[in-house]
Amino acid sequence: WPYLSAAGVKGLLRWAWRMCHQDDLLDKEELLFGPRKEEKDEDKRQQGCLYTYPIFWEGKVGLDLINPHSRENNTGTTPIKYEVVKKDAVGDMCILIFNRTMEREFLDTILSPLFEAIDFLLNDTAISAKRTAGWGAVKIDSAKVHLRCNFINEQSLPQEQQESED
């Protein structure tokens, strides 16, 4: 089954976030996606609260060809075949946000900018490594948002889990 990895989805979302919000929501970006690679201080590094799932594509798969050219004589060097998902394939994008801060304000400030970034990624650009060449255009047929709030505290854990955590 052709798929786009969870890391690829998260990377595309982070890129879309940066394109939409630049530096005005930098602190929220780190909460969602985790620290940038440049962050070396281990005390400040914390995993982001955005979890992505791979997009598995249902539909026709084909092969395409890239033929890099030599700059000196403008001839092809070594053709490279790669797998592509054909037009009209269907896939589901699923993300999970784990609210570590347990604050309502966190969700209030993060959801709208995140939906803007998703909209920018899907409608204005594309989901593809070669999106600048026009590949990976997406048409959204339907979208669903599920919000579920579960609060876990020590009293709600079974007795044997409480003992093992101590």
Side-chain angles (χ1 to χ4, degrees):
W1 282 59
Y3 75 99
L4 179 61
S5 72
V9 173
K10 191 171 184 177
L12 286 169
L13 282 175
R14 186 175 208 150
W15 173 83
W17 178 277
R18 287 182 184 172
M19 294 295 108
C20 289
H21 305 298
Q22 302 295 326
D23 291 332
D24 56 337
L25 293 172
L26 182 62
D27 58 332
K28 303 295 186 230
E29 176 188 337
E30 290 186 4
L31 281 173
L32 265 179
F33 300 100
R36 296 180 184 205
K37 290 182 181 179
E38 302 88 44
E39 183 64 59
K40 302 293 183 197
D41 189 359
E42 289 295 323
D43 295 335
K44 292 184 179 180
R45 294 185 67 105
Q46 179 181 353
Q47 184 178 5
C49 63
L50 180 78
Y51 295 88
T52 56
Y53 293 87
I55 299 175
F56 289 94
W57 299 101
E58 297 177 24
K60 294 181 180 178
V61 177
L63 289 177
D64 214 333
L65 186 73
I66 295 177
N67 193 4
H69 284 64
S70 167
R71 293 187 185 267
E72 289 91 32
N73 55 15
N74 202 24
T75 60
T77 55
T78 307
I80 302 168
K81 292 181 182 179
Y82 60 98
E83 191 175 61
V84 295
V85 177
K86 296 289 188 176
K87 185 178 179 182
D88 297 327
V90 176
D92 293 323
M93 176 187 276
C94 299
I95 61 174
L96 170 70
I97 299 172
F98 186 76
N99 185 0
R100 287 190 181 92
T101 63
M102 302 297 254
E103 296 172 1
R104 169 68 188 206
E105 295 80 31
F106 172 76
L107 290 177
D108 291 342
T109 60
I110 214 71
L111 287 180
S112 180
L114 180 60
F115 289 144
E116 287 176 33
I118 292 171
D119 181 62
F120 174 75
L121 178 65
L122 298 179
N123 290 319
D124 297 338
T125 59
I127 299 179
S128 170
K130 297 189 67 63
R131 63 187 170 276
T132 55
W135 294 8
V138 175
K139 180 183 123 192
I140 302 171
D141 287 334
S142 65
K144 297 177 188 176
V145 176
H146 299 277
L147 293 177
R148 181 185 302 168
C149 298
N150 293 333
F151 294 99
I152 300 174
N153 57 32
E154 288 184 19
Q155 295 172 348
S156 66
L157 293 174
Q159 184 64 29
E160 53 272 0
Q161 276 190 328
Q162 287 181 16
E163 292 171 0
S164 65
E165 291 179 355
D166 292 337

